C-alpha cells in the first residue's frame, strides 16, 4: 500500500498505427495485442539491460490461477520483514499450512531494497529464500513483490546528485522513502542490479510463480513532501537531461521547439521543464506531462527487461493504485501514470482494489466499484489482468477506522474481478498491519492468528476458482457493442493555470458508464491515444464525452468511424483546442462541423440546465452550447427549457452523429438520475442488443466466452434475494451446465440456454457452460 491510499488521496503500442508521442519516447519493446512485439526505438536504448526485448512469459500461460494472500513470513507488514529466529521455520510453516488449508494456492511475499542490500553488493535475501523453501514444501506457489521505493543509505552517499527535486531544484532528502531518482544513471544501474540479484535467487525455486515489479507506480512513491508548496517531480539534473533527449527526438531542431514553446533558446542545454504557467502558451506544460506518462511506462519496462534478462520464463506484473481513468491525471504531481501505457511494459498489468479504504464516507458506491472493475479490464485490452491488492479487512489510518469488510464483500469483489478477466487475485493481507498508521487494519485474519468468517469464505472462493481455472483462463469478457472514449490529454487543458476541475473527463466517463450499467448494457472505455489500434467498427455506438481537447489523429479516426457506418455521440465544444493547447478556428474543431452539420455560435456557462429530449427530461452541466445549422439535413433532437436547440443528429456518408451542447455524463456523476433516459435513447438509436434478462434492478449480468464454453454470472447487489431469468443462443450446443457455488446441474437443451436462478442477497450465482 502507498500514501496514495490515505483519505486525502483516496481517488487521487501498437499494431496498425503508432501515435507520434509513442514513437518519440519509448526505447523498449511493447506488446502489440494481436501478435509479435513491436520494437520502438527511443531515448533510452543505451540504458537498457542486456536483453533487448520483452519476452512473453511461459509461466502465466499454464492452467494455474493464483489466488494469494500477502504474507512474508511472520507478522511484519509490507514492505518490512521479520527478523529470522530459530523458531521462524516452524512458525512460518504453521502459517503456510493454515493458508493452504483455507484453500489458497499462492502466497505473495516481498523483498525491500533498503534492508536487502544495506551495503553495496552485499545482499540479504534470507527471508525470501526461507519462504520459498517452506512454500515449496507446503505445495504453495509464490509471487514476489519487489520494492525499491525505499532505498539503502549507501545509494545517497554514492550518488549525492541522485536525489529527487521539485520545481525549486532543492534535493529532497530520503528517509528510506522516497529513495532516489531512477533517471540518474548510477541510481538506475543500482536499482536494476538489485532486481537481477533477486531474480537469481527466486527463478530456480520450483515454488516461484511470478513477479510484481512495481507496486502502484508513481513519480514519487511513499512520501508526500508537505514542506513544499505544490511540488511536482522530478526536476533533478538527470530528469531534466532525459526530458531534453525526448524533446530532441520530438522536435528535431531548436527552431521547431522555439516556435512551439514561444521561446528563443540557442542551445539545448538551456531547456528546462516548466515550473509555472504563463499567459502565452502552455505547450511546454503539455510536453512535460505527456513525456512524464511515457517516461514512467518506460521505467517499468526497464525493470521488466532487467528481470527477463535473468528469468525469461516467469510472468511479470505490476499494479496501479486504481485504474487511471477513475481519477488520476497526467497533471498529478506525484502520480502522472497512464495505465493504458503502463500495461505494455509487463506481461500483465492490474490494480489495487480498496472499496472500503478508511473512513466510511470514502466507501465506494456500487457504481464506483463496478466502474473500477470495468476500467481495469478495459485498460488491459482484454488480455487479462492481475488484482495486485484486494482489500481483505477493514481500513485504518491513524485513529480513523473504516467499515467492516464482510465475507459477502470478498465474494462480490473477487468474482466481480474474475468475471472481467482477472488472472490472479491477491488479498491484502493475511495478517493485519502490525506497525505504522495502518496498524490493525486490512487483515484477513486477526493479528493473533484467529481465523475469521471472511477468511474461510475467501478460501472457499479460492477453491472454486482453482477447480474451474481451466475454463476461466481460456475465457474473456463478452465484448461490448458500445464504447466511451477517455482522453488522458483533456485534463491538461488550461496548462499549469487551469482553474476548473482536472477530473471533469473522469466524471463524464463515470456518468455515462453508470447509465449503461443500470441497463445491463456492457460498455468499454477506450483511450483516445489507442484509437488507431482499436477496431472501432466492432462498436455500434461510440460516445465522446467532455471532448474539449482533440488531436488531429483522433479526430480523423472518429470521423472515419462515422463515415463507414458508425454511430457517434459527442458532447459540447468538441475539439476546442488541440494537443498544444491552441484553439481551433471553429468549434467543433478539426472540420467536425462538416460531420455534425452545425457549428457553435454561442457558449453560455450554466452550472446546470434542463434538457427536453422527446418525451423525457434530464439535466446537463457546465456549458450550454448554441449552434448554427450549416447543413439543412441536421435534425434537431432536443431543446432547453427556453426552447433553444441543444442537440442535433446529422447523417455523414454511411453513418450518423449526434452533437449535444452540454455535459450529461458529468451531470449524471454529480447528480445521478436513476435509469437515465439518455442511455436508452442512444441504445435504440445505435441498435444495441438488449440482453434477454428478466430480473430486478440491482441484479447485474456478466458473461465470459471461450472456444470451449461460456460463463454466466448473476450478481445480486440488493439486500434481499432476487430471481433471474436469462435466455440466449449459444455458439455451440452445451454438453454440461452447472452452477459452481451450489453444485446444481442444469439439463442442457442444445444451443438454447435458459437459466433461472434464485440469487441470495449480496451474493452471486455462477454458471459454467461447457461445449
Amino acid at each position: 500500500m502507498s500514501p496514495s491510499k490515505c483519505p486525502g488521496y483516496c481517488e487521487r503500442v501498437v499494431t496498425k498505427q503508432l501515435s507520434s508521442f509513442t514513437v518519440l519516447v519509448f526505447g523498449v519493446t511493447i506488446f502489440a495485442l494481436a501478435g509479435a512485439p513491436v520494437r520502438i526505438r527511443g531515448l533510452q536504448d543505451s540504458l537498457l539491460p542486456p536483453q533487448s526485448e520483452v519476452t512473453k512469459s511461459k509461466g502465466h500461460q499454464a492452467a494455474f490461477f493464483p489466488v494469494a494472500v500477502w504474507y512474508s513470513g511472520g507478522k511484519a507488514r509490507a514492505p518490512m520483514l521479520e527478523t529470522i529466529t530459530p523458531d521462524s521455520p516452524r512458525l512460518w510453516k504453521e502459517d503456510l499450512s493454515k493458508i493452504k488449508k483455507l484453500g489458497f494456492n499462492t502466497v505473495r511475499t516481498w523483498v525491500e531494497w533498503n534492508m536487502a542490500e544495506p551495503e553495496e553488493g552485499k545482499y540479504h535475501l534470507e527471508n525470501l529464500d526461507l519462504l520459498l523453501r517452506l512454500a515449496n514444501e507446503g505445495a504453495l506457489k509464490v509471487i514476489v513483490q519487489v520494492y525499491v521505493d525505499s532505498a539503502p543509505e549507501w545509494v545517497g552517499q554514492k550518488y549525492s546528485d541522485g536525489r529527487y527535486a521539485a520545481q525549486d531544484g532543492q534535493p529532497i532528502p530520503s528517509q528510506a522513502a522516497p529513495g532516489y531518482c531512477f533517471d540518474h544513471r548510477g541510481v538506475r544501474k543500482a536499482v536494476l542490479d538489485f532486481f537481477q540479484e533477486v531474480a537469481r535467487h527466486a527463478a530456480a525455486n520450483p515454488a516461484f510463480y511470478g513477479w510484481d515489479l512495481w507496486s502502484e507506480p508513481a513519480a514519487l512513491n511513499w512520501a508526500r513532501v508537505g514542506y513544499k508548496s505544490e511540488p511536482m517531480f522530478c526536476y533533478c539534473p538527470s530528469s531534466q537531461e532525459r526530458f531534453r533527449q525526448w524533446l530532441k527526438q520530438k522536435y528535431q531542431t531548436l527552431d521547431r521547439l522555439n516556435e512551439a514553446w514561444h521561446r528563443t533558446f540557442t542551445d539545448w542545454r538551456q531547456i528546462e521543464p516548466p515550473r509555472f504557467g504563463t499567459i502565452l502558451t502552455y505547450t511546454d506544460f503539455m510536453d512535460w506531462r505527456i513525456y512524464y506518462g511515457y517516461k514512467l511506462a518506460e521505467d517499468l519496462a526497464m525493470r521488466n527487461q532487467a528481470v527477463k534478462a535473468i528469468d525469461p520464463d516467469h510472468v511479470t506484473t505490476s499494479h496501479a493504485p486504481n485504474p487511471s481513468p477513475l481519477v488520476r491525471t497526467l497533471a498529478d504531481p506525484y502520480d502522472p501514470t497512464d495505465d493504458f501505457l503502463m500495461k505494455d511494459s509487463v506481461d500483465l498489468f492490474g490494480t489495487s482494489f480498496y472499496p472500503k479504504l478508511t473512513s466510511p464516507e470514502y466507501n465506494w458506491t456500487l457504481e464506483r466499484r463496478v466502474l473500477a472493475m470495468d476500467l481495469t479490464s478495459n485498460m488491459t485490452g482484454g488480455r487479462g489482468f492481475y488484482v495486485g491488492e484486494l482489500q481483505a479487512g477493514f481500513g485504518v489510518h491513524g485513529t480513523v477506522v473504516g467499515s467492516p469488510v464482510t465475507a459477502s464483500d470478498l465474494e462480490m469483489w473477487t468474482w466481480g474481478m474474475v468475471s472481467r478477466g482477472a488472472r490472479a487475485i491477491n488479498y491484502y493481507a493475511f495478517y493485519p498491519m502490525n506497525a505504522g498508521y495502518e496498524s490493525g487494519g486490512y487483515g484477513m485474519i486477526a493479528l493473533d492468528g484467529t481465523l475469521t468468517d471472511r477468511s474461510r469464505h475467501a478460501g472457499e472462493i479460492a477453491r472454486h476458482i482453482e477447480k474451474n481455472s481451466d475454463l476461466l483462463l481460456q475465457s474473456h469478457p463478452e465484448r461490448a457493442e458500445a464504447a466511451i472514449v477517455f482522453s488522458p490529454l483533456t485534463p491538461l487543458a488550461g496548462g499549469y493555470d487551469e482553474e476548473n476541475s482536472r477530473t471533469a473527463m473522469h466524471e463524464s466517463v463515470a456518468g455515462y458508464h453508470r447509465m449503461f450499467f443500470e441497463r445491463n448494457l456492457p460498455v468499454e472505455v477506450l483511450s483516445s491515444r489507442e484509437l488507431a489500434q482499436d477496431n472501432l467498427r466492432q462498436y455500434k455506438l461510440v460516445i465522446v464525452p467532455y471532448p474539449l481537447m482533440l488531436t488531429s489523429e483522433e479526430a480523423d479516426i472518429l470521423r472515419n468511424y462515422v463515415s463507414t457506418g458508425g454511430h457517434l455521440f459527442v458532447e459540447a465544444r468538441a475539439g476546442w483546442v488541440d494537443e498544444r493547447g491552441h484553439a481551433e478556428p471553429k468549434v467543433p474543431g478539426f472540420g467536425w462541423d462538416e460531420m455534425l452539420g452545425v457549428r457553435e455560435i454561442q457558449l453560455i456557462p450554466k452550472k446546470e440546465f434542463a434538457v427536453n429530449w422527446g418525451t423525457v427530461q434530464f439535466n446537463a452541466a457546465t456549458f450550454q452550447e448554441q449552434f448554427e445549422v450549416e447543413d439543412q439535413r441536421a435534425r434537431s433532437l432536443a431543446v432547453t427549457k427556453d426552447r433553444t436547440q441543444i442537440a442535433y443528429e446529422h447523417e455523414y456518408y454511411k453513418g450518423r452523429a449526434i452533437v449535444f451542447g452540454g455535459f450529461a455524463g458529468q451531470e449524471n456523476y454529480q447528480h445521478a438520475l436513476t435509469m437515465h433516459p439518455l442511455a436508452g435513447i442512444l441504445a435504440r438509436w445505435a441498435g444495441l442488443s438488449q440482453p434477454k434478462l428478466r430480473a430486478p434492478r440491482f441484479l447485474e449480468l456478466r458473461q465470459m466466452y471461450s472456444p470451449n464454453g461460456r460463463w454466466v454470472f448473476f450478481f445480486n447487489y440488493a439486500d434481499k434475494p432476487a430471481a433471474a431469468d436469462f435466455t440466449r443462443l449459444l455458439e455451440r450446443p452445451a454438453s454440461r451446465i452447472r452452477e459452481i457455488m451450489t453444485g446444481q446441474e442444469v439439463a442442457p437443451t442444445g444451443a438454447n440456454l435458459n437459466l433461472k436462478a434464485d440469487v441470495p442477497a449480496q451474493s452471486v450465482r455462477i454458471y459454467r457452460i461447457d461445449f
Side-chain angles (χ1 to χ4, degrees), residues 411-412 693-696 698-700 712-725 739 741-742 744 755-767:
E411 177 178 320
M412 300 294 272
L693 172 70
R694 287 184 292 174
F698 287 106
L699 189 136
E700 181 192 16
V712 174
F713 300 77
F714 297 122
F715 292 91
N716 180 13
Y717 298 107
D719 293 325
K720 59 182 179 181
D725 189 332
E739 200 288 311
M741 302 289 278
T742 62
Q744 173 198 9
L755 298 176
K756 298 180 186 293
D758 293 314
V759 189
Q762 297 291 324
S763 190
V764 61
R765 287 294 176 262
I766 305 165
Y767 289 86

Side-chain angles (χ1 to χ4, degrees), residues 70 104 121 127 159 190 210 223 251 339 437 449 553 595 669 737 763 771:
W70 281 68
F104 302 103
N127 291 63
Y159 305 113
Y251 289 105
D339 294 343
Y437 58 71
E553 180 184 16
M595 177 179 70
Y669 173 82
I737 304 172
S763 190
F771 296 153

Side-chain angles (χ1 to χ4, degrees), residues 10 87 323 334 339 363 441-442 530 607 640 688 745:
C10 283
D87 291 330
Y334 286 93
D339 294 343
N363 287 357
Y442 304 102
E530 291 190 347
K607 186 174 183 180
T640 63
L688 301 187
E745 296 277 345

Side-chain angles (χ1 to χ4, degrees), residues 628-693:
E628 176 183 70
V629 174
E630 291 187 332
D631 186 336
Q632 294 306 312
R633 294 177 300 166
R635 182 171 66 93
S636 175
L637 298 176
V639 297
T640 63
K641 190 175 181 180
D642 63 4
R643 308 303 296 174
T644 300
Q645 310 297 320
I646 196 69
Y648 285 89
E649 178 192 21
H650 186 242
E651 184 177 352
Y652 185 70
Y653 293 95
K654 296 179 181 180
R656 293 182 177 274
I658 292 176
V659 59
F660 176 69
F663 298 135
Q666 185 183 25
E667 171 68 17
N668 195 48
Y669 173 82
Q670 295 175 351
H671 306 100
L673 178 61
T674 300
M675 295 298 287
H676 198 293
L678 184 55
I681 291 168
L682 296 179
R684 291 188 295 272
W685 176 63
L688 301 187
S689 304
Q690 298 279 345
K692 296 178 180 178
L693 172 70

Side-chain angles (χ1 to χ4, degrees), residues 369-683:
R369 297 196 302 271
V370 296
L371 172 62
M373 293 181 188
D374 282 346
L375 290 175
T376 305
S377 178
N378 299 160
M379 75 189 184
T380 50
R383 73 189 188 203
F385 58 91
Y386 267 39
V387 183
E389 303 173 37
L390 192 147
Q391 184 176 359
F394 67 88
V396 174
H397 188 94
T399 59
V400 176
V401 176
S403 301
V405 172
T406 67
S408 177
D409 287 335
L410 295 188
E411 177 178 320
M412 300 294 272
W413 300 347
T414 303
W415 286 115
M417 288 295 193
V418 171
S419 72
R420 288 161 170 85
R423 294 299 186 245
I425 303 291
N426 296 269
Y427 292 104
Y428 193 94
F430 189 55
Y431 280 109
M433 305 299 97
N434 72 330
Y437 58 71
E438 295 174 334
S439 290
Y442 304 102
M444 181 174 282
I445 68 173
L447 197 54
D448 67 358
T450 303
L451 299 181
T452 62
D453 289 341
R454 65 181 179 278
S455 67
R456 297 185 184 92
H457 193 54
E460 293 173 4
I461 294 169
R463 288 194 183 93
H464 285 307
I465 292 173
E466 187 166 31
K467 288 177 183 177
N468 293 280
S469 60
D470 58 337
L471 187 59
L472 284 172
L473 290 171
Q474 298 174 19
S475 301
H476 300 274
E478 186 91 295
R479 292 307 302 260
E481 295 179 340
I484 304 168
V485 177
F486 170 82
S487 169
L489 302 189
T490 297
L492 300 177
Y496 257 115
D497 298 314
E498 168 62 10
E499 295 181 355
N500 206 342
S501 170
R502 291 278 192 198
T503 57
M505 166 62 70
H506 306 69
E507 293 177 359
S508 298
V509 168
Y512 279 110
H513 180 274
R514 177 181 181 131
M515 293 183 197
F516 287 85
F517 165 70
E518 291 177 325
R519 284 175 164 74
N520 267 307
L521 290 173
V523 63
E524 294 178 6
V525 177
L526 312 176
S527 171
S528 63
R529 295 199 284 190
E530 291 190 347
L531 295 181
Q533 59 185 353
D534 286 311
N535 182 4
L536 290 182
R537 284 179 293 180
Q538 68 187 294
Y539 301 107
K540 295 181 179 180
L541 171 66
V542 173
I543 298 169
V544 185
Y546 207 79
L548 306 187
M549 180 179 285
L550 294 175
T551 69
S552 59
E553 180 184 16
E554 295 163 10
D556 289 345
I557 291 166
L558 291 167
R559 182 190 294 109
N560 183 64
Y561 165 75
V562 178
S563 68
T564 55
H567 289 75
L568 181 72
F569 178 84
V570 59
E571 289 193 316
R573 298 233 87 191
W576 176 7
V577 295
D578 63 19
E579 68 269 28
R580 301 169 301 165
H582 291 195
E584 283 288 290
K586 287 197 294 187
V587 177
F590 299 93
W592 272 22
D593 58 315
E594 178 189 359
M595 177 179 70
L596 299 171
V598 298
R599 66 172 293 175
E600 177 187 293
I601 57 169
Q602 184 171 238
L603 190 70
I604 302 175
K606 291 272 189 178
K607 186 174 183 180
E608 187 177 60
F609 61 95
V611 175
N612 293 303
W613 195 307
T615 60
V616 302
Q617 185 180 93
F618 56 87
N619 289 340
T622 310
F623 295 146
Q624 185 183 110
E625 188 178 28
Q626 297 179 1
F627 302 103
E628 176 183 70
V629 174
E630 291 187 332
D631 186 336
Q632 294 306 312
R633 294 177 300 166
R635 182 171 66 93
S636 175
L637 298 176
V639 297
T640 63
K641 190 175 181 180
D642 63 4
R643 308 303 296 174
T644 300
Q645 310 297 320
I646 196 69
Y648 285 89
E649 178 192 21
H650 186 242
E651 184 177 352
Y652 185 70
Y653 293 95
K654 296 179 181 180
R656 293 182 177 274
I658 292 176
V659 59
F660 176 69
F663 298 135
Q666 185 183 25
E667 171 68 17
N668 195 48
Y669 173 82
Q670 295 175 351
H671 306 100
L673 178 61
T674 300
M675 295 298 287
H676 198 293
L678 184 55
I681 291 168
L682 296 179

Side-chain angles (χ1 to χ4, degrees), residues 100-120:
K100 181 70 174 180
K101 288 178 181 177
L102 280 169
F104 302 103
N105 59 18
T106 307
V107 291
R108 185 185 185 103
T109 192
W110 54 89
V111 294
E112 184 208 23
W113 189 24
N114 181 43
M115 300 305 293
E117 193 185 358
E119 298 180 61
E120 185 175 8

